[in-house]
Amino acid sequence: AYRKGGYHAVRIGDQFSGGRYIAQRKLGWGQFSTVWLAFDTRTSNYVALKIQKSAQQFAQAALHEIELLQAAADGDPQNTKCVVRLIDDFKHAGPNGQHLCMVLEFLGDSLLRLIRYNRYRGMELNKVREICKCILTGLDYLHRELGMIHSDLKPENILLCSSIDPAKDPIRSGLTPILEKPEGNQNGAATLNLIEKKLKRRARRAVAKISGRRVSIVGLSETPKKTKRNLDGIDMRCKVVDFGNACWDDNKFAEEIQTRQYRAPEVILQSGYSFSVDMWSFACTAFELATGEMLFAPKDGNGYGEDEDHLALMMELLGKMPRKIAIGGARSKDYFDRHGDLKRIRRLKYWPLDRLLTDKYKLPEAEAREFADFLCPILDFAPEKRPTAQQCLQHPWLNLRTQNNEDHIEGRMSNLQIDG
Ligand code: ADP
Ligand code: MG
């Protein structure tokens, strides 16, 4: 992928935008980009630098993403609406071509990582509520104030607001703060090689000679070392990121949107979509946070495809799809007969949400009922019947507090060994 038109290879210490940003370590990557932690020498802040692949179609996509991120930033001067903030954008010429770069506020781990930290066992409901409030705040802003559909909401695209200040806590954030001024250094490349080698050896602390200066290196592991992580007491604020697939409600460009497991039924059936597709993905995400498992994980099988399995899973949980909806989409004939029954999957095993939460995930009955009461209306097959983000924010479930059974929670939450 690091070839013409592809990713831009970045080394620690590389400079961007005329030296303003200095790459520190890789934060993540997606289909179209790599994302780096960078030091902004102008503001002395850490930022996330998203470097797009260079080929024309990726550049086009990045321009679109910048437009939407810019609109989101313009409408939220106080930066309180739970959407990642665009700080800057520029072009960077590299050996693989011209790369569009976005500078974003630096955020923490994704909810997917949080789910993994928790070893796929699900998170305390009180924390799920806090996260849900943030996501809904972001969606309400995007939908009602901006007229924007995110189109790819999922745990991976929701990041916690970082509770770590990289400058103060370099080891936990895996930083190499020595690299403030690599430009003044003749042996820069060799030095960086040395540092990278040491990084690979995961030395915790080392001393390197740079142009005769002794410089101590702190927090050497490029991926932070296994650390104990206890979620108790962590503030669960988060923000929505990745506007690479977002669109204006009145200017859609794709029929097939969303990541498979979070995809709404009207997208599968191609009956047209709007803001409520994000609500569907939101409900899937909330369930996954609480249980540690995806709400729908369709697979293809004997004589049927992933789409049909997906529709079957939806109906097993939510009951039969109303016939009018089932046969109303451009793709309906591929999956449903004229009675509104699936063509290839005939016997469905119904397992409603509240029962699933008690029987499989061992939630106490009252909690399961309350949670299902919050989620079920959002999972309505009729998109226009789903509550809006604004309406969801009014739901009493968000303000409930579950009395913790401390022993139970302790057992689930503490002493987790996490691979950064
Ligand atoms: P793509 O459009 O290629 O999927 P994303 O915007 O989703 O790119 O970013 C890819 C990954 O980079 C994210 O999953 C996350 O791990 C990391 N990342 C993105 N933005 C930030 C940020 N602002 N702060 C910290 N990490 C980020
Ligand atoms: Mg992404």
Side-chain angles (χ1 to χ4, degrees), residues 46-116:
Y46 287 93
V47 293
L49 181 61
K50 180 166 175 171
I51 307 168
Q52 196 83 347
K53 286 181 177 177
S54 59
Q56 178 63 30
Q57 72 270 27
F58 303 125
Q60 204 82 78
L63 283 176
H64 175 75
E65 185 169 359
I66 290 167
E67 177 199 321
L68 297 180
L69 282 167
Q70 190 61 59
D74 290 345
D76 176 24
Q78 305 296 322
N79 197 7
T80 59
K81 305 276 173 83
C82 301
V83 170
V84 68
R85 166 126 321 204
L86 181 70
I87 297 168
D88 188 14
D89 64 272
F90 57 87
K91 284 181 189 143
H92 182 83
N96 296 326
Q98 192 72 274
H99 301 266
L100 274 163
C101 300
M102 289 160 241
V103 182
L104 303 158
E105 71 178 302
F106 168 54
L107 297 169
D109 287 333
S110 74
L111 295 188
L112 180 62
R113 277 193 156 189
L114 202 66
I115 291 165
R116 286 185 185 151

Side-chain angles (χ1 to χ4, degrees), residues 27-33 35 48 50 84 104-107 156-157 159 242:
L27 289 170
W29 63 90
Q31 265 181 297
F32 299 167
S33 66
V35 179
K50 180 166 175 171
V84 68
L104 303 158
E105 71 178 302
F106 168 54
L107 297 169
E156 213 182 317
N157 285 338
L159 304 189
D242 195 352

Side-chain angles (χ1 to χ4, degrees), residues 227-234 410 413-416 418:
T227 42
K228 280 190 181 166
R229 179 78 147 238
N230 187 338
L231 298 180
D232 289 354
I234 290 190
E410 276 298 304
M413 308 293 285
S414 62
N415 289 325
L416 297 175
I418 296 121

Side-chain angles (χ1 to χ4, degrees), residues 253-265:
F253 49 87
E255 293 254 35
E256 190 176 286
I257 55 165
Q258 306 181 300
T259 299
R260 159 62 67 191
Q261 293 84 357
Y262 308 89
R263 189 173 293 157

Side-chain angles (χ1 to χ4, degrees), residues 12 23-28 36-39 46-47 106-109 113 117 162-177 199 204 218-227 229 420:
I12 294 167
Q24 300 277 333
R25 74 178 162 92
K26 202 188 251 184
L27 289 170
W36 284 76
L37 179 70
F39 186 70
Y46 287 93
V47 293
F106 168 54
L107 297 169
D109 287 333
R113 277 193 156 189
Y117 287 165
S162 180
S163 54
I164 305 167
D165 178 349
K168 293 203 185 106
D169 197 349
I171 294 190
R172 275 185 67 196
S173 56
L175 287 185
T176 52
L199 281 173
R204 296 289 298 171
V218 200
L220 272 177
S221 16
E222 188 173 5
T223 45
K225 277 232 162 192
K226 282 189 178 179
T227 42
R229 179 78 147 238

